[in-house]
């Protein structure tokens, strides 16, 4: 947690500003590590999606088994064809996932499924990963980022020394109910035969 280093100079905090969502996801002090971990998550997602599509494509599956048969005939005398075919399919899934990741990191959109009109961008995947992240971790890391950004202009700013408060004041008037008119103080009565109620609430954290 970045707050553990609150006694360091501001320059030690000048991190994560270009990859704030990635920091919320992983919480490392080094931006490059957060970006790399996020890229790994997206690549893994794309690998799973692409590999599943290959398994569902009879043409691709047949091609993988043809290659596996040729390799097994030369290497193992025909044994292990299903294992080799699965390895080939997984290799294709990995290759497609890496290619998709490169496109996403370049700011391009990639179809969720091949030949699908639904496309996801890098930001869409970030949003999806954020939805999966633990709520308390997200809040803690958002607080870290608020502190980092505040320190751009105020070097000694610390979230632990700040408080937030809200004051809500409402004044309403209503008609009398039954015999309430006789019991209402004069200061609360209005000229049009109603009575006023004023409410003030404070919330602080």
């Amino acid at each position: 947690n970045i707050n553990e280093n609150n006694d360091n100079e501001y320059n030690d905090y000048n991190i994560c500003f270009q990859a704030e969502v990635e920091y919320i996801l992983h919480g490392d002090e080094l931006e490059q590590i957060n970006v790399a971990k996020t890229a790994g998550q997206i690549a893994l997602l794309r690998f799973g999606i692409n590999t599943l599509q290959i398994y569902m494509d009879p043409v691709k599956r047949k091609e993988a088994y043809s290659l596996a048969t040729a390799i097994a005939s030369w290497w193992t005398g025909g044994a292990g064809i299903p294992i080799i075919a699965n390895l080939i399919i997984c290799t294709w899934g990995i290759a497609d996932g890496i290619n998709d990741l490169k496109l996403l990191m370049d700011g391009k959109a990639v179809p969720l499924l091949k030949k699908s009109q639904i496309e996801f961008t890098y930001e869409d995947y970030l949003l999806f990963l954020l939805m999966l992240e633990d709520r308390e971790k997200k809040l803690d890391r958002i607080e870290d980022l608020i502190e980092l950004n505040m320190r751009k202009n105020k070097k000694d700013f610390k979230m632990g020394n700040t408080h937030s408060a809200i004051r809500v004041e409402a004044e309403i008037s209503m008609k009398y109910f039954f015999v309430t008119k006789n019991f209402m103080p004069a200061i609360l009565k209005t000229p049009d035969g109603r009575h006023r109620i004023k409410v003030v609430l404070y919330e602080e954290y």
Side-chain angles (χ1 to χ4, degrees):
N1 190 310
I2 291 178
N3 286 328
E4 294 175 356
N5 299 323
N6 276 340
D7 293 332
N8 293 344
E9 293 296 326
Y10 166 70
N11 287 337
D12 294 334
Y13 280 79
N14 196 15
I15 57 177
C16 303
F17 293 138
Q18 303 304 314
E20 292 186 342
V21 177
E22 290 86 344
Y23 173 76
I24 295 172
L25 289 171
H26 299 289
D28 198 282
E29 294 186 12
L30 295 179
E31 178 179 306
Q32 299 90 330
I33 292 178
N34 293 322
V35 172
K37 287 181 177 179
T38 303
Q41 285 181 300
I42 295 174
L44 186 60
L45 286 171
R46 290 307 311 171
F47 161 71
I49 293 170
N50 292 333
T51 302
L52 180 61
Q53 289 184 94
I54 295 172
Y55 276 112
M56 296 172 62
D57 187 334
V59 176
K60 285 282 189 181
R61 199 166 60 248
K62 183 178 179 180
E63 184 180 348
Y65 270 85
S66 296
L67 287 172
T69 300
I71 293 172
S73 299
W74 167 75
W75 187 28
T76 65
I81 291 176
I83 296 174
I84 296 174
N86 285 315
L87 288 174
I88 291 171
I89 290 173
C90 289
T91 301
W92 288 346
I94 292 171
D96 285 346
I98 293 173
N99 184 61
D100 290 343
L101 177 63
K102 184 179 183 301
L103 293 172
L104 291 168
M105 299 296 282
D106 287 341
K108 299 176 182 178
V110 172
L112 181 60
L113 302 173
K114 302 300 182 185
K115 299 180 183 180
S116 170
Q117 295 184 357
I118 301 175
E119 295 185 335
F120 274 35
T121 63
Y122 180 74
E123 288 74 20
D124 293 326
Y125 279 100
L126 289 182
L127 179 59
F128 175 73
L129 293 172
L130 277 175
M131 290 190 295
L132 300 179
E133 187 56 70
D134 178 75
R135 181 176 181 274
E136 293 303 320
K137 286 184 179 179
K138 285 189 288 189
L139 291 176
D140 287 344
R141 292 166 184 172
I142 289 171
E143 288 179 8
D144 288 341
L145 290 173
I146 292 173
E147 181 171 301
L148 285 169
N149 283 289
M150 290 296 295
R151 285 194 169 205
K152 290 179 181 179
N153 301 314
K154 189 176 180 181
K155 296 182 180 180
D156 60 348
F157 177 83
K158 294 182 181 180
M159 281 292 292
N161 296 336
T162 61
H163 301 277
S164 296
I166 183 171
R167 180 180 184 273
V168 178
E169 180 176 328
E171 184 172 315
I172 62 173
S173 68
M174 58 190 299
K175 294 181 179 180
Y176 298 111
F177 289 105
F178 305 109
V179 296
T180 55
K181 180 176 182 180
N182 297 327
F183 296 95
M184 283 292 165
I187 193 173
L188 297 180
K189 295 179 180 180
T190 66
D192 58 349
R194 303 167 68 90
H195 64 269
R196 292 189 303 268
I197 297 177
K198 185 176 182 180
V199 179
V200 179
L201 297 176
Y202 286 92
E203 291 290 341
E204 183 177 359
Y205 63 92

